[in-house]
Amino acid sequence: MASATFRFYGELNDFLARARRGHAFTTPCARAATTKHMVEALGVPHTEVELVLVNGDPAGLDDILEEGDRVAVYPRFTTLDVADVARLAQRPPGRARFVADAHLGALARLLRMAGFDTIYRNTLSDAEVEAIALDDGRAVLTRDRALLKRRGVDYGCYVRALKAEAQLAEVVERFGLAQRVRPFTLCLSCNAPLRPVAKADVLDRLPPRVAATQDEFLTCDRCHGVFWKGSHWQRMAGVLDAILCAAGTGNGSH
């Protein structure tokens, strides 16, 4: 059994046992242990890691550790003088798509509001989340670090914020979504695309006050929901605008 010395940086220390935070420590490694195996055995989901250096050189998550190796593990947004190719991929290729665990329903709705394909059901088990992520190439959103360590989860995010609006800001920043927002293009309830619909076609489904004051409507062909720019819409647009302005993109929801 080999031993290696580890040093975790930044917010990755939050996942460690208190005695191991903020300094280097030496620990035994399982036989033929990879960097991924040891990083996760120490408590850090691999999805939260952007860069691993072994003895000063960039390493992959599948590299085998050897006796005496010194391993430095970095989160995102760490300033280092290394080539971009050394950084570990943290997001799936192509368009951003997510699966949220059963505890992040409010975040899922906000992501759909912003136009991001997000699967969510409050009955989803961890195994089902893992299977969806693997089959569809989705990033997992969760506050459960054990879920991010499952074998089939290649991409994901440990959501640190507790309130949905702060969670949305965190995910937008984490995955670089600010320039890809397409607000009010997906159904908040079922994630299907929305399309414009004539008022006459949905008039029998509208409350009288809405019928008297609104003229533009969207509908979902899956759940047959009808949406309009009422007070709830405006409040959500304001939430999204505030997040995008904080990200430096200006007004993106109108």
Side-chain angles (χ1 to χ4, degrees):
M1 180 180 294
S3 293
T5 300
F6 289 81
R7 173 69 161 93
F8 290 82
Y9 290 86
E11 62 264 29
L12 297 184
N13 282 278
D14 296 344
F15 297 106
L16 300 178
R18 188 172 299 275
R20 289 172 165 168
R21 297 175 186 174
H23 61 85
F25 59 89
T26 300
T27 186
C29 302
R31 184 175 182 181
T34 63
T35 55
K36 178 178 182 292
H37 172 87
M38 285 304 302
V39 163
E40 294 200 326
L42 291 168
V44 180
H46 75 276
T47 58
E48 306 309 292
V49 175
E50 186 174 23
L51 179 68
V52 177
L53 302 180
V54 176
N55 303 321
D57 295 322
L61 291 174
D62 294 329
D63 288 12
I64 303 295
L65 294 175
E66 299 180 356
E67 175 64 35
D69 279 345
R70 299 188 63 85
V71 185
V73 188
Y74 297 87
R76 293 187 73 242
F77 305 126
T78 300
T79 302
L80 289 173
D81 186 16
V82 296
D84 288 341
V85 294
R87 298 181 182 271
L88 303 174
Q90 286 203 322
R91 65 188 70 167
R95 62 194 180 99
R97 300 194 301 166
F98 303 98
V99 53
D101 77 8
H103 304 288
L104 294 178
L107 171 60
R109 286 176 62 85
L110 288 178
L111 281 166
R112 291 171 180 174
M113 176 195 75
F116 297 107
D117 180 350
T118 306
I119 290 178
Y120 167 81
R121 294 190 299 276
N122 61 9
T123 58
L124 284 177
S125 67
D126 285 1
E128 289 172 319
V129 171
E130 177 186 20
I132 291 169
L134 185 61
D135 291 345
D136 294 351
R138 294 175 182 268
V140 173
L141 304 176
T142 183
R143 285 184 49 77
D144 178 4
R145 71 177 75 179
L147 175 54
L148 294 175
K149 296 179 185 180
R150 294 180 75 102
R151 186 181 300 274
V153 177
D154 290 327
Y155 305 97
C157 174
Y158 180 81
V159 180
R160 294 171 179 270
L162 297 179
K163 296 185 177 180
E165 294 174 8
Q167 290 173 341
L168 177 62
E170 184 178 339
V171 173
V172 166
E173 180 181 16
R174 169 71 177 265
F175 290 94
L177 303 180
Q179 299 293 342
R180 292 185 281 172
V181 169
R182 295 184 304 122
F184 309 114
T185 56
L186 294 177
C187 178
L188 303 188
S189 298
C190 67
N191 200 44
L194 296 177
R195 64 174 178 84
V197 63
K199 182 176 181 177
D201 293 339
V202 295
L203 191 59
D204 60 340
R205 289 186 272 164
L206 301 178
R209 182 175 180 179
V210 171
T213 59
Q214 300 291 330
D215 293 309
E216 296 182 1
F217 299 91
L218 298 170
T219 190
C220 171
D221 290 329
R222 180 181 297 170
C223 71
H224 307 295
V226 179
F227 304 88
W228 57 90
K229 294 183 178 180
S231 58
H232 181 60
W233 178 299
Q234 296 300 333
R235 187 190 70 81
M236 297 177 76
V239 168
L240 186 56
D241 279 350
I243 290 171
L244 295 181
C245 286
T249 64
N251 190 322
S253 66
H254 298 293

